[in-house]
Amino acid sequence: MAKNRRDAKATKEKIITNAMLLFSKNGYDATTIDEIAKVSDVNKAMIYYYFKNKSALYSAVMSSVLDAIYQEILSSDKCCPSPLGDLESFIKTYAYYCEKHPYFPALLLRELSDSGTHLPEEMFANMRQLFGLLSKILQEGEEQNIFHNVEPMVLHFMIVGSINLFITTKPLRVATSQIEDGLNTCDGCSIEKISDYIFQKIKLMLEVNDEQNTTCA
Amino acid sequence: MAKNRRDAKATKEKIITNAMLLFSKNGYDATTIDEIAKVSDVNKAMIYYYFKNKSALYSAVMSSVLDAIYQEILSSDKCCPSPLGDLESFIKTYAYYCEKHPYFPALLLRELSDSGTHLPEEMFANMRQLFGLLSKILQEGEEQNIFHNVEPMVLHFMIVGSINLFITTKPLRVATSQIEDGLNTCDGCSIEKISDYIFQKIKLMLEVNDEQNTTCA
Amino acid sequence: MAKNRRDAKATKEKIITNAMLLFSKNGYDATTIDEIAKVSDVNKAMIYYYFKNKSALYSAVMSSVLDAIYQEILSSDKCCPSPLGDLESFIKTYAYYCEKHPYFPALLLRELSDSGTHLPEEMFANMRQLFGLLSKILQEGEEQNIFHNVEPMVLHFMIVGSINLFITTKPLRVATSQIEDGLNTCDGCSIEKISDYIFQKIKLMLEVNDEQNTTCA
Amino acid sequence: MAKNRRDAKATKEKIITNAMLLFSKNGYDATTIDEIAKVSDVNKAMIYYYFKNKSALYSAVMSSVLDAIYQEILSSDKCCPSPLGDLESFIKTYAYYCEKHPYFPALLLRELSDSGTHLPEEMFANMRQLFGLLSKILQEGEEQNIFHNVEPMVLHFMIVGSINLFITTKPLRVATSQIEDGLNTCDGCSIEKISDYIFQKIKLMLEVNDEQNTTCA
DNA sequence: CATGAATGAGAGTTCATTCAT
DNA sequence: AATGAATGAACTCTCATTCAT
């Protein structure tokens, strides 16, 4: 009997979904409430009925998104329950998720480069959660003497940074390759290839035991 | 002892400098011309006297900044003129520059995550230039059989991504470490340590000849 | 006893009316949205709520005005349904309307002297409509052999030009007559007298059959 | 030896000429000092050196233009020095001048529809002068019993109004004729034909002695 | 729940005008 | 006589947010 209207939950989610798309496409400032309302086919005032203000809506969007990826990684099947398997799972699940939800990398990068201008407590927690996951994997690998000289934060940024940039720069990379200046921007590379490459390289760098760091200086 | 007034060059540069700071701190949209004018101690109309519009000012800022880092890397002394030395030089010079000009990583990340919304031709060229530099280093290393299985774009993103995120997330990482949840965010790490770590790890992953990629699946 | 607030139609019309007065008094450029808003006692943003932009508002104003005069002429009682009666009706109704709505001649003259800078399609159609009316009257007169040697466009401009200028120059004419330089600017003439004079003269020039045009040259 | 620069008079006239073109094409408000300066190839500040402000420049332009047409009419050869010949001369010289200087009708109409917003004393005098000319011709004709029932102001507006509108509406008339709705806008008519038509018709209406005005009412 | 009407506070941009050289 | 630099005041238009129904 539900009229599709008056279904609070559905309406709210519709708003979040559309807001997510617009925020990721245009950024926080360039996305207007009017636009979100129109795309979501709801009255503008309804958005204020469900969310305190624009910032709160943004926060809800980010939480929803961060939580989704966290759950995805948690629930991914690991073939071999080992630090290496977990690492592979982390990288590839993350990469596939980003590929499927290309708004996500844009949102995340923007948020990280803003260093939390729009970022409220809730979201902040979500981000730590994700990092915590990788942190634990790496730590276990180190304890089992499989990984060496681990610096979780830097590795996290390497993985997340490269995957995110890979997704968001897609149009730029395609444009560059058309310029034909000899630059190989990997514009035709599949996410499978890229995520596997990243995994293999990270694996290499972690498995080698580099006691003595040699610098040329 | 010129009065610093009626000095076109000085005025223009003052505007660019201040615009750079504000754009990096607040992003393109959230930075207002009024603000830039006030901070620069010039009349708002002066900005339009020197720059066609906000977008052109932004473009001038980005070009100036990208060119600066490119020159910095080009002119950095390389102890040993080899692909490895060049790589070390690239990574460390880039990192030091980012540390000294912390507005830069934010600007770059934002631009890359926007994938060129505000990005005009000139800036785009500047960005390709930087990537071209690393590209050549890696290629030479591969030709000399020092580096193996090189994918320049991904490696570029790994390096640039990790360094940039490291700089921009500073406040976030400090905040996290205060929460005391066992996460190590490397919040006290110096840029020297980080850039060396990145260099060493990248070196490892490039030097090992990984013919057979083994995936658990 | 509606509060007159939150009444869309009333608000919109209030805006059009006031815009009409201001546009005719000061011209397009010299009329500001702020001014229209203040006089209309509405928030400036409301104007943009109802009209896309200044130009669209102007267009709405002109359409409204041109349509009004067209309807007025159409519905004017014609004592004797003949080309001559229709012509008299056209001239006098037009003149009375201009007298009652003195903003109209200014608007029209300005638009015609701009030759359509601000003039959008809709308005253009309205203007053709008015001319079409006179055109048909004159044509019928010619077919009935009452009028001779008819050039509708020129006659239209004679009628409309003289009436419009008569209205818009009122202050100028009054000022001139005070200078006492022997010039008779008809500054005290009533619109009845003027419109009748114009009708009589136009009638004369149309009724005489002037086969042979004699020029002194 | 004159450098073409430092020739005050030439510079001043260049400014007036270009200002005239721009004012007539775009109107007072839409014409900027910057534009005039650029087209005239002089520094913007020079305009303020020669003219008190924009309004004074406009005034100088109008005076120059009104004076030019007045002189043109005064000096036109009259084949037969009679009121009728003078009238023909007035109408045709005016029309030819407008055709050759199409900026003039636009300027004049705009000024008349503004009823003197920008119109200063000097210009006002110039306009009276022109009207005075026609006034005298008509008066003489009446005294010689050639013209009857003369109302100089209205006749002036008929002549000036129709000719001016004819010139300014050229583009509009051409556009209308392309719409093919049966309206004859005389879009191909030459100024010779038009000015002769107007003269012939005005002649007719003045020569007939219309004692008894008959209105249908 | 839902909506159209209304608002205030700005943002980008333009321009006539003046100053210093 | 001539110019580039500088300014203040407006102006158009946008948008997050709220009110009344």
Side-chain angles (χ1 to χ4, degrees), chain C residues 79 88 110 114 205 215-216, chain D residues 79 88 110 114 205 215-216:
Chain C
C79 61
E88 182 174 3
R110 221 183 309 252
D114 276 354
M205 70 159 68
T215 312
C216 74
Chain D
C79 62
E88 182 172 4
R110 224 185 305 253
D114 276 354
M205 68 161 67
T215 314
C216 74

Side-chain angles (χ1 to χ4, degrees), chain B residues 4 13 42 55 60 79 92 106 125 130 137 160 173 181:
Chain B
N4 196 25
E13 254 162 40
V42 301
S55 171
C79 59
K92 294 191 175 174
L130 199 60
I137 295 171
V160 164
R173 289 183 292 111
D181 50 4

Side-chain angles (χ1 to χ4, degrees), chain A residues 29-30 79-80 88 92 106 109-110 112-115 124 127-128 131-132 135 148-151 153-155 157-158 161-162 165-166 168-169 171-173 175-176 179 181 183-186 193-194 196-198 200-205 208 210 213-216, chain B residues 29-30 79-80 88 92 106 109-110 112-115 124 127-128 131-132 135 148-151 153-155 157-158 161-162 165-166 168-169 171-173 175-176 179 181 183-186 193-194 196-198 200-205 208 210 213-216:
Chain A
D29 290 296
C79 61
C80 23
E88 182 173 4
K92 296 193 173 170
L109 277 186
R110 222 184 307 251
L112 289 175
S113 59
D114 275 356
S115 214
F124 187 25
M127 284 171 62
R128 288 196 309 268
F131 170 53
S135 235
H148 307 280
N149 195 11
V150 166
E151 197 62 79
M153 195 77 258
V154 179
L155 293 168
F157 286 154
M158 270 193 178
S162 56
L165 286 174
F166 199 83
T168 63
T169 58
L172 242 45
R173 288 183 293 112
T176 295
I179 289 176
D181 50 5
L183 290 179
N184 171 22
T185 60
C186 214
K193 179 179 147 77
I194 269 21
D196 190 55
Y197 181 81
I198 292 174
Q200 296 296 343
K201 289 299 193 188
I202 296 280
K203 178 178 165 237
L204 280 185
M205 70 160 68
V208 176
D210 55 335
N213 289 355
T214 45
T215 315
C216 74
Chain B
D29 290 296
C79 59
C80 24
E88 183 174 3
K92 294 191 175 174
L109 278 187
R110 221 184 306 254
L112 289 175
S113 57
D114 275 355
S115 216
F124 186 26
M127 285 171 59
R128 289 197 308 269
F131 170 54
S135 236
H148 307 279
N149 195 12
V150 165
E151 197 60 81
M153 195 77 257
V154 180
L155 292 168
F157 286 154
M158 269 192 179
S162 55
L165 287 174
F166 200 82
T168 63
T169 57
L172 241 46
R173 289 183 292 111
T176 296
I179 288 176
D181 50 4
L183 291 178
N184 171 21
T185 60
C186 216
K193 178 179 147 79
I194 275 1
D196 190 56
Y197 181 81
I198 292 174
Q200 297 298 343
K201 289 299 190 187
I202 297 281
K203 178 180 167 236
L204 280 185
M205 70 161 66
V208 176
D210 54 335
N213 290 352
T214 45
T215 314
C216 73

Side-chain angles (χ1 to χ4, degrees), chain A residues 31-154:
Chain A
T31 300
T32 71
I33 298 286
D34 269 294
E35 212 182 349
I36 297 172
K38 190 195 276 184
V39 169
S40 306
D41 195 31
V42 302
N43 186 279
K44 188 177 18 172
M46 280 314 288
I47 294 181
Y48 285 91
Y49 180 78
Y50 287 115
F51 305 93
K52 189 177 175 302
N53 52 26
K54 188 181 181 181
S55 173
L57 169 58
Y58 181 75
S59 174
V61 163
M62 288 305 284
S63 277
S64 148
V65 142
L66 283 166
D67 199 56
I69 197 170
Y70 182 70
Q71 295 306 330
E72 184 107 352
I73 294 178
L74 268 193
S75 69
S76 68
D77 296 325
K78 285 143 212 170
C79 61
C80 23
S82 70
L84 202 60
D86 288 349
L87 179 65
E88 182 173 4
S89 189
F90 182 94
I91 293 176
K92 296 193 173 170
T93 311
Y94 187 87
Y96 294 159
Y97 186 88
C98 289
E99 171 84 355
K100 261 196 306 182
H101 306 276
Y103 50 82
F104 174 72
L107 280 177
L108 190 63
L109 277 186
R110 222 184 307 251
E111 206 50 55
L112 289 175
S113 59
D114 275 356
S115 214
T117 304
H118 315 302
L119 182 144
E121 203 30 56
E122 194 184 6
M123 230 184 96
F124 187 25
N126 275 305
M127 284 171 62
R128 288 196 309 268
Q129 214 176 22
L130 198 60
F131 170 53
L133 214 56
L134 180 67
S135 235
K136 218 180 67 192
I137 295 170
L138 295 173
Q139 213 173 311
E140 279 175 13
E142 205 166 21
E143 280 162 10
Q144 296 175 28
N145 216 32
I146 304 173
F147 298 156
H148 307 280
N149 195 11
V150 166
E151 197 62 79
M153 195 77 258
V154 179

